[in-house]
Amino acid sequence: MDAVVHGGILIISSSKYVIEQKKRLIALSIILLVGFHAASYAHYAQKEKVIKVFHSLEETASVKASAGKKSILPVLPRVEIGPCTFMQKFDKYHADCGTLFVKEDPTESHTAKNNARVVSIPIIIFQPAGEVTGDPVVITGGGGPGSSIYIMDEFDGDPSLYYSGIELSTLQNGLPLILMEMRGSGLSLANLDCPAITELEIELLTTYPYKFDNKQFVKTNLNCANRKRALGVDANFYNTDYAINDIDALRELLGFQKWHLLGISHGTRISLRYAQQYPQHTASLILDSIYPFEVDSYVDMPELSARIFTQPFTLCDADPRCRLENGQTSETLFASFMSEIKLNPPTLEVEYDDENWTVGQKTLKISPELVAYTLYNNSYDGEAILAFPQIIKDALNKDYAKLSRLISEIIDLQNYTWFSEGAYSSYACYEEIPFSNTELAIKNAKKYKSPYWDDLPAINLDLQLCKIWNIKPALNNIKSFDHNQLTLPVLILAGDLDTFTPTKWAIDFHAKLPMRNKTQHLRVWPLKAHNIVHGDKCVEAVITSFLNDPEQTIDNDCTLQNVSDIKTDAL
């Protein structure tokens, strides 16, 4: 689960190294549960390029499969690979960039008279530092679903953002690393992005008092869906099953017999589905912040949302360095603060960069909903969760610097990850929304509703998406995953503070595996939240051990000596 939002508004986070890393973190982790609740939107660093790219996305219904000569019918699927632009300033590893071309509808004929509609999918292939010693590792999609994994020019100046957190286990361990977008997201074409939804979210978020506008959200989604249909895009061809076929098409074109799959959040579903359909080509699975098919995320969402606003303060009360001296609980302090700003909303100056890259200050009245949204958004990061109590303490003392900074980062469009609202709908309506226990989800939303947070509008809005986008649900028992058939090596990584894909999901899934604790392992980290594969040497050491020998996966309590030994061996 990667991004849930209150009333249809996005979830993002930040801070300089942290801003760039969290961009990647959220790009790799926006969970299914609340589509626009996790909307994301980003531009290229170069304004001219941004405009050009977005115009092409809107005006092009499909990528024309051309091979230079019109008389020659391009082969589909096919892959075109060339040098990456960032290679001019990057020499740590060799990297190739390219595009996978596949038919939107695999059953469509492809002839000289009737060229099939084509989907283009960006890819990057990093080669290891030394000799290739094993099968490649493939990152299977971002979170959301609908989130990009950041194959774009914006980070060409720092390609390490592409492999941060898994360099030791892959590129320093003799294994190539392959990144590919999922169809419908990122810079894939056709693209199902709907920027107007993000603009509406920001407008509502920065208007006092905050009020969710279901009618306007429905209208904006319908306009986007109609525009995509007018361009010839059929959103029914953008889902998990078509995505895994794309992955295997790339494998075959690159000539690999097997590869390891690394999925994060909704990407774990892509990995699991691939392993289910193509076990002979799956060497192992690494599942970070697992989102199992069998869970009902809408039923669980309200309780998980409520946990976001209690967990940080419970942790604070258990720590002598954080808890209040008068014995008052931090959670009570938080409730007092939210009540106070409801009666007397503070006015803050926040930085706000709009879609035209206009940088400046914006004066906002701060509502309880905006504060809740700000904390919610940052709950992907364990360190941020632990900082929440101090932020509230400072705000109660009229020191709003830290809170203002968090709010600025959230409403700054430049900090938004790429998120395709249409792709969210197409994937979610295929595998999740139609299978939810709606009655229980609504009951739970009412049960856990607070004065500043209400999941019910978001749930009700999502229930309308499938009709708006005219998406048909899966007919192949996609929610009935047969755990007994999953006998290949599996490493499940979870964070004990994760409120988007809770540890319980990971524990329950692991308990059903036939080779658990032999070649199928679960590792849960305390004081970590969503997306464990994120710049942690201990996590890297566990992944390296697993890839080298699934039967000897090391424990979580990696010592510096363990990490040093593994790194020395890898080099």
Side-chain angles (χ1 to χ4, degrees), residues 71-330:
S71 59
I72 300 177
L73 182 67
V75 174
L76 293 175
R78 77 178 191 280
V79 63
E80 296 179 359
I81 297 177
C84 298
T85 57
F86 57 69
M87 291 303 293
Q88 298 174 0
K89 47 190 173 182
F90 171 72
D91 59 7
K92 188 172 184 180
Y93 304 104
H94 177 78
D96 290 305
C97 293
T99 304
L100 171 68
F101 296 93
V102 294
K103 291 189 285 186
E104 182 183 73
D105 175 2
T107 65
E108 184 180 4
S109 63
H110 183 53
T111 66
K113 292 184 178 181
N114 180 38
N115 282 14
R117 284 181 51 81
V118 178
V119 172
S120 68
I121 300 170
I123 62 171
I124 299 180
I125 304 172
F126 285 98
Q127 295 297 337
E131 179 183 357
V132 175
T133 59
D135 298 318
V137 174
V138 185
I139 296 181
T140 57
S147 178
S148 168
I149 61 171
Y150 267 128
I151 298 183
M152 58 182 72
D153 290 345
E154 184 176 354
F155 296 127
D156 285 353
D158 185 9
S160 66
L161 286 167
Y162 291 121
Y163 53 76
S164 175
I166 52 174
E167 178 181 8
L168 174 64
S169 58
T170 58
L171 300 176
Q172 289 294 328
N173 194 33
L175 308 182
L177 177 65
I178 300 174
L179 297 87
M180 66 180 295
E181 292 287 12
M182 294 298 99
R183 54 168 61 200
S185 62
L187 291 183
S188 296
L189 291 175
N191 184 283
L192 301 182
D193 185 39
C194 301
I197 296 174
T198 298
E199 294 169 8
L200 175 59
E201 291 171 341
I202 295 299
E203 178 185 349
L204 294 179
L205 187 63
T206 56
T207 300
Y208 186 90
Y210 171 79
K211 184 178 180 180
F212 179 76
D213 190 339
N214 182 77
K215 184 177 180 180
Q216 190 61 31
F217 269 114
V218 170
K219 179 181 177 181
T220 305
N221 274 274
L222 185 59
N223 288 341
C224 181
N226 286 337
R227 185 172 64 251
K228 300 300 181 183
R229 281 191 282 265
L231 292 171
V233 178
D234 186 344
N236 281 285
F237 292 113
Y238 297 80
N239 59 48
T240 296
D241 281 327
Y242 287 109
I244 66 169
N245 290 340
D246 296 339
I247 295 172
D248 202 61
L250 180 63
R251 178 201 60 77
E252 188 170 356
L253 289 166
L254 295 179
F256 296 114
Q257 177 57 33
K258 284 190 175 185
W259 50 17
H260 307 274
L261 301 185
L262 168 60
I264 302 173
S265 198
H266 183 266
T268 62
R269 285 193 167 186
I270 302 290
S271 292
L272 285 167
R273 191 65 168 170
Y274 183 91
Q276 186 182 45
Q277 300 296 320
Y278 300 101
Q280 71 277 24
H281 300 309
T282 309
S284 74
L285 296 178
I286 301 172
L287 306 174
D288 178 357
S289 307
I290 187 171
Y291 183 23
F293 281 105
E294 61 266 27
V295 302
D296 189 332
S297 56
Y298 285 90
V299 167
D300 291 347
M301 177 171 65
E303 182 177 3
L304 296 175
S305 296
R307 179 182 165 192
I308 287 174
F309 306 110
T310 59
Q311 177 176 254
F313 306 100
T314 301
L315 291 169
C316 177
D317 292 338
D319 187 341
R321 297 166 298 177
C322 182
R323 66 189 178 208
L324 302 176
E325 295 180 358
N326 61 7
Q328 182 182 8
T329 64
S330 300

Side-chain angles (χ1 to χ4, degrees), residues 336-393:
S336 299
F337 174 68
M338 297 297 267
S339 297
E340 179 179 322
I341 63 173
K342 184 175 181 62
L343 294 175
N344 302 295
T347 300
L348 305 183
E349 292 289 330
V350 298
E351 292 185 357
Y352 184 75
D353 298 353
D354 65 17
E355 67 273 15
N356 295 317
W357 292 71
T358 302
V359 183
Q361 297 285 320
K362 187 177 182 70
T363 303
L364 294 178
K365 274 191 175 182
I366 306 304
S367 65
E369 290 83 1
L370 179 54
V371 171
Y373 174 78
T374 300
L375 300 187
Y376 191 103
N377 173 73
N378 281 275
S379 292
Y380 287 99
D381 181 7
E383 292 182 4
I385 291 172
L386 297 175
F388 291 168
Q390 187 59 52
I391 292 173
I392 299 302
K393 290 176 185 177

